[in-house]
Amino acid sequence: MTTIRREVLRLPAAPLGPDNPLPPLRPLDEAHRIDERDRAGLPRDMARQVDYEPLRSLLPVRVRDGYDRAREARETDALVIENDRLRATVLPGLGGRIASLHHKPTDRELLYVNPVLQPANFALNGAWFSGGIEWNIGATGHTTLSCSPVHAARVPAPDGGEMLRLWEWERLRDLPFQVDLWLPDGSDFLHVGVRIRNPHERPVPTYWWSNIAVPEERRVLAPADEAWHFGYERRLRRVPVPSYDGTDRTYPLNSTYAADYFYEVPDGRRRWIAALDADGHGLVQTSTDVLRGRKLFVWGTGPGGRRWQEWLTEPGTGGYCEIQAGLARTQLEHVKLEAESEVSWLEAYGPLDAAPEGEWHTVLRGTEERLETVLPRADVDAAYAAWRPYADAEPGESLATGSGWGALEVLRAGWKLPGTPFGEHTLGDEQRPWLHLLRAGSLPGPGGHEPPGVTLVSRPWRDMLETTAATPAAEYHLGVAQWHGDDRAQAVRSWERGLKTAAAGWPLLRCLAVADQEDGHHERAADRYAEAFDGLCGQLREGREEEDVRDAEEWVAVAAALGREAIEALLAVGRTADARAVWERLRPATRARGRFRLTEAELLAAEGRREEARAVFDEGFEVADLREGAENIGRLWARLGDEPLPARYDFRMRPDGG
């Protein structure tokens, strides 16, 4: 029978560090946007879903950019679910990621297992890591829960054994979801039941992709003759499968540049995708038909793709690709989840042996026949039907605890969510001011030596902020909520009102500076950024008289984040002396970080000190939170001379990269 146990993994890991304390009033530079020229040729349902409520901001989530690349051996909690055939290792503190899926009879690992935990800037909100099977919910891109804890517990399984339930509250769309993992006795396939619920009285956009990392020396098979190709030049076009431009693209190492291939699986065809090695061994994923999309992601063999592969793990480690399954054709789309409804499906993951070489349709037919032998399509549908009554089963022993945000929302709305309890005991410091607003009608401000906390931005919380006492703290949070609701003029008015009586005005000034930038008032934005940073430095000086707040982690993060934004704003209007003044007031340890070494090189170049800027490159730096698809390092290098970009700095992911 299936067993579930706790385990501790010990592997090289870089610490996540603190979240960025500044509210993300703008989304990160999201790569999953398409060129307007490609919209006209899209199928009608795809075009509708591409345009359906794309993400405008990350609020209420914060950006996670406090990590570095200094790895050392650290312990990570894991949960292991296994039967006599399979062993799955789950990381509840890191989004519920399945880190390993081991087939015991053949002693084969079915996934790409990253030997390190190295955060990188790929999630919607920053920190993400590669490897295993990840559950992506929320909006186009890697989930904001990539490096966050989820709730986990034992629950009864349909076969009388135990399931491992993972659940959380997804905050971008305010949706609870669950992932139930179980291994039927004697089965070679891990069963995964997924449910997303919309408890609201209005439709909500939703998104799901299960991303499976596998070694890249594979052939990837999916039942399709066409695919939608999407690269980092942001062009979406239909291409034939398996070959186009004279090359068979179902072999990941046959592509030069990073790219997505979203397969057009015909209606009525079984949903599956497999990755097989040269000997025909590998992994297959299949599902009920609701999970319609299938995708291959490749890094490519170009220098940028290989550099990213090294960046995410250790040099000398084998590369990987991703096979994926989602609710829509592509990851550019969001699906409407109607009011007070839910969507659910069942996935299965396991080993498959089939012949990968040969004519495409012959290979597909043989693979599909083999899959039908080891896991009939009817059995997947039956397993889903058997699981559905257990989706509401109340969890037993708690195995891990996620965030308190779901508990706060359940308290506010009184929702009943059988199977996924969000208990009051999970409420923490971040939720405490909002619980006070909910119960007492007032929002406590931060202490004298605390930066503002997280802002809640959904309409019910905004309504409460609009009726509470108009303190500077309330005006700050109200403005952030109004900005999120695209009521930007009201947001500016709220921030300006709060600024009149605020003891510490820098949080409001920073928000106003962002608003100025968005409106094209760059000189005024630079003025406000400079004033905000001056105010922050003054508050830190005053705080040292009572307690040493200057070295507190959250204040170090505030100063770094605000200083970086201020320098960028000042350089944008040519005020190099003012930018230099901000730089000089940053902590030495902050200036030594890779991100700020790049900022230093940009500042030196702006000052006309090209040789000194070049020396920063020669000395070497690593920008830990370099964004997926970012080309600013290459652009700066090109300004400093005519030499080719050194390989260590080459992260370009498209043919015409900067």
Side-chain angles (χ1 to χ4, degrees):
M1 297 293 289
T2 298
T3 62
I4 301 173
R5 69 176 189 276
R6 301 176 192 269
E7 196 169 274
V8 175
L9 303 183
R10 187 172 175 83
L11 68 166
L16 279 173
D19 289 353
N20 189 320
L22 305 181
L25 302 179
R26 291 169 295 212
L28 298 180
D29 183 20
E30 207 340 80
H32 295 93
R33 299 195 305 270
I34 66 172
D35 191 293
E36 290 299 321
R37 292 171 289 178
D38 297 327
R39 288 181 179 271
L42 299 182
R44 185 173 301 176
D45 61 333
M46 185 192 296
R48 183 175 62 251
Q49 291 181 162
V50 166
D51 290 330
Y52 178 49
E53 295 199 31
L55 197 66
R56 293 193 303 269
S57 89
L58 294 175
L59 292 165
V61 176
R62 284 183 163 178
V63 173
R64 313 199 81 166
D65 60 3
Y67 51 89
D68 57 30
R69 294 183 57 78
R71 295 192 290 266
E72 60 182 61
R74 301 175 193 274
E75 293 186 344
T76 300
D77 290 336
L79 299 172
V80 177
I81 176 170
E82 67 178 315
N83 63 3
D84 59 335
R85 312 287 294 177
L86 280 178
R87 179 171 64 248
T89 303
V90 181
L91 306 180
L94 295 166
R97 180 86 56 104
I98 297 180
S100 166
L101 186 61
H102 186 82
H103 187 234
K104 294 158 78 171
T106 58
D107 194 27
R108 290 193 192 117
E109 174 58 51
L110 301 181
L111 305 175
Y112 166 78
V113 177
N114 195 335
V116 304
L117 282 176
Q118 177 57 62
N121 195 354
F122 280 73
L124 285 166
N125 62 331
W128 171 89
F129 65 101
S130 64
I133 304 172
E134 59 175 315
W135 318 113
N136 287 292
I137 182 174
T140 297
H142 291 283
T143 177
T144 61
L145 296 167
S146 292
C147 292
S148 295
V150 298
H151 302 282
R154 301 176 192 269
V155 291
D159 62 356
E162 288 186 319
M163 290 192 296
L164 173 60
R165 175 163 299 161
L166 311 170
W167 74 99
E168 244 305 345
W169 193 272
E170 199 289 307
R171 300 180 66 212
L172 293 179
R173 304 302 195 181
D174 268 336
L175 298 176
F177 72 98
Q178 71 190 76
V179 177
D180 287 353
L181 311 175
W182 84 100
L183 288 162
D185 191 30
S187 175
D188 281 311
F189 284 84
L190 175 68
H191 288 46
V192 182
V194 182
R195 174 168 65 168
I196 306 171
R197 287 190 275 201
N198 175 14
H200 304 281
E201 296 177 347
R202 55 179 172 80
V204 175
T206 192
Y207 171 94
W208 184 279
W209 282 81
S210 301
N211 289 11
I212 309 137
V214 294
E216 63 186 351
E217 298 86 0
R218 298 288 186 271
R219 191 180 197 191
V220 173
L221 309 174
D225 292 327
E226 292 183 312
W228 294 91
H229 173 274
F230 183 73
Y232 283 80
E233 65 274 22
R234 293 175 177 166
R235 298 302 306 272
L236 182 69
R237 61 185 184 273
R238 198 190 297 253
V239 299
V241 174
S243 298
Y244 84 94
D245 284 348
T247 302
D248 189 332
R249 306 290 173 167
T250 63
Y251 294 90
L253 292 174
N254 281 354
S255 292
T256 305
Y257 296 101
D260 300 327
Y261 296 90
F262 299 103
Y263 295 112
E264 274 281 7
V265 180
D267 289 343
R269 193 79 179 263
R270 183 175 185 178
R271 263 58 183 164
W272 62 272
I273 188 167
L276 305 179
D277 65 19
D279 295 323
H281 307 310
L283 171 80
V284 66
Q285 186 270 3
T286 187
S287 71
T288 49
D289 291 349
V290 167
L291 202 66
R292 64 169 297 182
R294 292 298 185 274
K295 171 193 160 182
L296 164 65
F297 167 75
V298 300
W299 282 107
T301 57
R306 304 328 293 172
R307 183 71 180 106
W308 274 116
Q309 291 261 33
E310 292 178 356
W311 188 254
L312 295 170
T313 181
E314 293 180 330
T317 303
Y320 75 95
C321 64
E322 288 179 355
I323 58 174
Q324 307 181 14
L327 281 175
R329 273 191 182 92
T330 73
Q331 288 172 331
L332 309 169
E333 304 167 65
H334 297 107
V335 175
K336 181 182 287 189
L337 188 55
E338 297 294 346
E340 299 178 333
S341 71
E342 63 182 50
V343 60
S344 62
W345 62 90
L346 184 119
E347 305 179 46
Y349 297 81
L352 189 71
D353 294 330
E357 306 289 345
E359 190 273 330
W360 180 242
H361 293 99
T362 302
V363 169
L364 288 185
R365 186 165 53 251
T367 304
E368 209 156 37
E369 289 172 355
R370 181 61 183 158
L371 174 59
E372 185 65 19
T373 298
V374 297
L375 185 65
R377 185 178 187 179
D379 286 4
V380 175
D381 293 335
Y384 171 72
W387 166 71
R388 283 296 292 135
Y390 290 82
D392 285 347
E394 288 305 312
E397 179 194 359
S398 175
L399 299 172
T401 303
S403 78
W405 295 114
L408 186 65
E409 292 299 329
V410 167
L411 282 173
R412 179 190 62 77
W415 285 314
K416 305 298 182 185
L417 300 169
T420 54
F422 294 95
E424 286 192 47
H425 68 281
T426 63
L427 294 167
D429 291 341
E430 286 188 316
Q431 293 83 39
R432 197 156 288 120
W434 300 95
L435 185 63
H436 194 274
L437 176 63
L438 179 65
R439 289 177 168 168
S442 61
L443 184 71
H449 303 303
E450 295 176 351
V454 174
T455 302
L456 296 185
V457 296
S458 66
R459 190 73 221 196
W461 292 107
R462 175 177 164 178
D463 289 345
M464 282 184 258
L465 288 169
E466 288 175 341
T467 56
T468 192
T471 63
E475 295 286 15
Y476 164 81
H477 288 293
L478 174 58
V480 174
Q482 290 166 331
W483 183 271
H484 175 265
D486 210 25
D487 196 350
R488 298 191 170 187
Q490 285 287 7
V492 168
R493 283 192 280 271
S494 295
W495 292 327
E496 289 175 340
R497 282 195 306 267
L499 191 59
K500 292 176 182 177
T501 57
W506 64 263
L508 295 148
L509 283 165
R510 183 265 176 178
C511 291
L512 289 167
V514 174
D516 283 334
Q517 286 179 321
E518 292 293 290
D519 290 339
H521 303 306
H522 298 293
E523 281 286 356
R524 191 166 68 195
D527 287 339
R528 281 176 160 159
Y529 265 121
E531 186 180 352
F533 192 74
D534 286 344
L536 173 61
C537 291
Q539 185 178 357
L540 292 177
R541 283 193 301 271
E542 294 169 7
R544 294 190 73 181
E545 298 174 5
E546 300 177 23
E547 58 178 302
D548 191 8
V549 301
R550 187 177 176 84
D551 294 325
E553 185 179 62
E554 59 186 345
W555 284 111
V556 171
V558 167
L562 184 58
R564 174 178 162 187
E565 289 187 10
I567 291 170
E568 291 172 353
L570 290 161
L571 288 180
V573 295
R575 290 165 56 174
T576 55
D578 291 335
R580 172 63 63 181
V582 173
W583 170 263
E584 296 295 344
R585 282 178 286 172
L586 293 172
R587 290 163 49 93
T590 297
R591 295 201 300 261
R593 291 174 56 189
R595 164 60 63 183
F596 288 86
R597 292 287 283 156
L598 176 60
T599 298
E600 180 183 17
E602 291 168 339
L603 177 56
L604 289 166
E607 292 170 330
R609 299 157 66 182
R610 293 176 57 185
E611 291 302 318
E612 291 171 79
R614 170 64 183 264
V616 174
F617 278 87
D618 293 341
E619 291 166 14
F621 59 87
E622 290 186 327
V623 181
D625 63 327
L626 187 69
R627 186 67 176 161
E628 173 190 12
E631 297 171 354
N632 51 331
I633 293 179
R635 284 195 294 266
L636 177 58
W637 176 264
R639 289 168 53 196
L640 301 178
D642 298 326
E643 295 181 30
L645 182 65
R648 67 179 299 180
Y649 299 121
D650 190 353
F651 294 90
R652 294 171 294 186
M653 299 175 73
R654 57 182 179 140
D656 58 346

